[in-house]
Amino acid sequence: MESIGRSVIRKDAVAKVTGAAKYTADLKTVGSLYAKLVTSPYGHARILSIDTSAAEKVNGVHKILTGKDTNILTGEEIKDRPILATDRVRYHGEPVAVVIADTLAIAKQAANLVNVSYSPLPVIRSPKEAYQQGVPLVHEHLGDYEKIAEVFPKPGTNICNHTKIRKGSMEIGWAKSTVVVETEVSFPPSDHCAMETRSVSAEILPNGQVIIHSSSQVPFTIKKMLSSIFGLNQGKITVHTPLVGGAYGGKSAIQLEFIAYLASSAIGGQKVQLINSREEDFITSPVHLGLDAKVKLGCDAEGYLQAAEITLLFDGGAYSDKAVDMSRAAATDCTGPYQVENLWCDSFCMYTNHPYATSFRGFGHPESTFAVERAIERLAEKLGMDPIEFRWKNAIRPGQTTPTQVILNESRIGNVRRCIERVRELINWEEGRRIEITPERIRAKGVSCFWKNSNIDTNAGSGAILKFNEDGTVHLNCGVIEIGTGSRTVLAQIAAQKLGIDVDQIYVEMDIDTSSTPEHYKTVASRGLWMAGRAVLAAAEDAIGQLLNVAAQVFRVSLDDLDIGKGFVFLKDNPARKLALKELVYGYVYPNGNAIGSQVIGRGSYTLRGMTFLDPKTGKGVPGPDWTVGAQAVEVEWNKRDYTYKILRAVTVIDAGTIINPKLAQGQVKGAMHMGLSFASREGFIFGPNEVVETTQFRTYKVLRYGENPDYTVDFVVTPSRETAYGLRGIGEHALIGMPAALANSLSTAAEVHLNRLPLTPELIWRMKTGGVR
Amino acid sequence: MPEKKMYNLYVNDEEASVVARPSDTLLHVLRDQLGLTGAKPGCENGDCDACTVLVDGKPIKSCLMLAIEAEGKHVKTIEGLKNTRIQKAFVENWAIQCGYCTPGFIMNGFALLNQHSNPDSETINDWLSGNLCRCMGYAEIKAAIKSVMTSDHADKSS
Ligand code: FES
Ligand code: FES
């Protein structure tokens, strides 16, 4: 039975509809203690004193830790973040102390009694402000921090990373441009809002073994970071990650793990659980970054792009975490999937007094795409060309080069033009972009394209083990986290296809244990199937080699004479001579009892090849193995009278390469569209005085609810990748990328006003349209 | 801390004795004392419905009900639904991704279909707009609910 191209039911489906599915906070153990954080009520303040004496007197409190107990700086790229704040808090919600107690109720009661006195400091309220000369510095000692070589902070400023992209000649580009536009866009930080809040536990066994449970996308990185920060041997650390209740990049940061580890070690190793409340999950743990950007584009009279000058100022918040990487990733793909010969881009990650940012689905791309696609829309308008035609004309193709000067081929870039053509049909573009249904109600459409490469470590990799049972069934063991995407089911399909057995014969546990599971770099960047798919294929080939070896001895033939399929190893020229896998998987036993071969354990691993660091002066380099591309459209109905609107339809056409599991692929695409529309239409933190976040609950921070969603249309273009298992491409993030731009383009068309800010609330449209005067 | 007290609940048709403080929510008692972790804390504030259980047949946000208020009442959690049509419909319509919101949606949908065997879209929206899902576009969940509408969704278990 073919496993590729079939909508195999998710392996975790039954557990998830019966309540049997276990997430980190569901794993209860007797004797665990509970931790509760004390967090900063200010966006920026000096800590004058911390008095824990009243809290310590509460019955059942074991220990209270503050910054002076944990004086260590952390950070994957720049070590700029204390585990608990020491002399100063830099964002609202920053952890200041942690109380460890018998029960959560006691811990909370005591946390309320910890008396911290603060003296508020001036705040940095936006990346634009952070960039000004003479403003307060969020990190005065930026130059002293330890950092990796590939980030470029500027001591004495609020710049925590600067990426430069220089391609072609701007002089020539502007000289060739007959039409030029300049667009500025802006939006505040927002949040991932996974339904499962981040949750960890830590325990140190008497032999020194550290056991962490974490709701995470990066258990292997947790192991490495604990090891490097606390000087522990990696073999002494085991990280468990069960099912994860949504992540979207937000669970790729390491934060609570450090606190829980220190809490446990402060009380002799007893198990400590630390679970974010929703309010903490919104701001204490990292968020989705904001952006202020400026885009200047020029094209010739025929509508070919000639020059682009792009400045991205990302709001990375108070600490660098992954925002510094996102600002680089955004720069590498800053033009969108268009051919631009002459390009100049400065991408800055700025420190502000906002909650700090980490990876978010799309990794810098939805943000920069919003900026560039709004500019493209204006350029087409100014030129007087249909905006879809303009995009089609400029769509990047094999043979052309990316902003970082990678020369494209079909496998690397897929088919952008085909995606645009298909979106045009599906959204019924011919009918007209703006239709007045009644004098009050306007129906309008907008489009956007997207592309994205991975921008992860140049040596990222993945491993897999296929372990046979005696009856021929197989356990697949690999390190991709089940965060909701269904990747572990798809990997089973890949293994089944290669081994020539039914996918039902393959069993996949959903828990990761870093001590026994082969490492998968991180479950991020839509590289789960990309890398682990290759590892699984290699493991299957390894297992097949072992099976054929035994069978060749039994049949006294050479390996080339044999093939595998339908659960048998057989002779190619006489398939009737065959051995069932179960006769081979534990070695073959001859009638007299002699045995040959042994248990079949297939192993495989894979590491990305050909990636390079970027040249710091020009950005030249290979940021990832391939781009997933596509085009999107949104149709809205806008009400002229009260400025409200309904999102009627959203369309995505994505070049997804070979589709392994159509239903899962559609689910990923629709889910990403949904998240993009929710973000663009209503999300974003509202800040009060001293940059205190006023929206830390779902009643004030609005997300799209059931019934508010549009009709989704998803279609696939298939340009198989030459590098992946069966030609698949990564698709987990991409359909989010163009949604904010497509929505803004449709509403700008409807309201006949330039909407360059997010979220696109009726109030914003009213303000832009009327200047905010009734 | 106020005194703990022992009292009885009926959970999934069985009597269960629990020891809890008067301020303990039903959600926490179900999860921590009875090991019924199907009901999920998503906000503990009444905003997300991930914690939905049925109390005497009505969907309740278990994060907003004190356990002591459920004394003597019949509580049904996702663990108490066995082979119902709605559970199968969620599987068959791909209405699951991370699964964290799933128990809440299923309990609410189950109660909805018990009260309205053939609800119109507006009624479904009214009932389910309290349930947040961050992974999906809700389309699959709608398809799952619709597929069960006209049939006897409860099968044996109700
Ligand atoms: S946890 Fe009860 S409504 Fe969110
Ligand atoms: S499936 Fe993840 S929140 Fe609904």
Side-chain angles (χ1 to χ4, degrees), chain A residues 51-59 61 64 109-115:
Chain A
D51 179 4
T52 56
S53 55
E56 269 155 16
K57 289 196 192 97
V58 176
N59 225 335
V61 170
I64 299 173
Q109 188 195 2
N112 284 333
L113 295 172
V114 172
N115 193 356

Side-chain angles (χ1 to χ4, degrees), chain A residues 8 16 22-23 26 699, chain B residues 31 40 45 94 97-98:
Chain A
V8 170
K16 284 177 172 174
K22 295 286 181 202
Y23 303 79
D26 298 339
R699 59 190 58 187
Chain B
R31 289 174 56 83
K40 301 293 184 215
N45 198 31
W94 300 81
Q97 283 190 27
C98 81

Side-chain angles (χ1 to χ4, degrees), chain A residues 8 16-17 22-23 26 28 109 192-193 195 248 278 667-668 671 674 683 697 699 704-706 709, chain B residues 1 21 31-32 37 40 42 45 47 87 94 97-100 125 129-130 134-138 142:
Chain A
V8 170
K16 284 177 172 174
V17 299
K22 295 286 181 202
Y23 303 79
D26 298 339
K28 302 282 172 199
Q109 188 195 2
H192 310 80
C193 304
M195 292 314 299
Y248 327 110
R278 175 55 61 189
Q668 281 309 293
H674 168 82
E683 296 182 36
Q697 295 181 330
R699 59 190 58 187
L704 265 183
R705 287 182 176 269
Y706 187 98
N709 54 294
Chain B
M1 286 277 138
R21 278 185 306 276
R31 289 174 56 83
D32 298 347
T37 56
K40 301 293 184 215
N45 198 31
D47 294 340
Q87 286 166 298
W94 300 81
Q97 283 190 27
C98 81
Y100 202 80
N125 284 358
S129 62
R134 216 32 194 169
C135 294
M136 288 182 283
Y138 299 112
K142 188 173 200 165

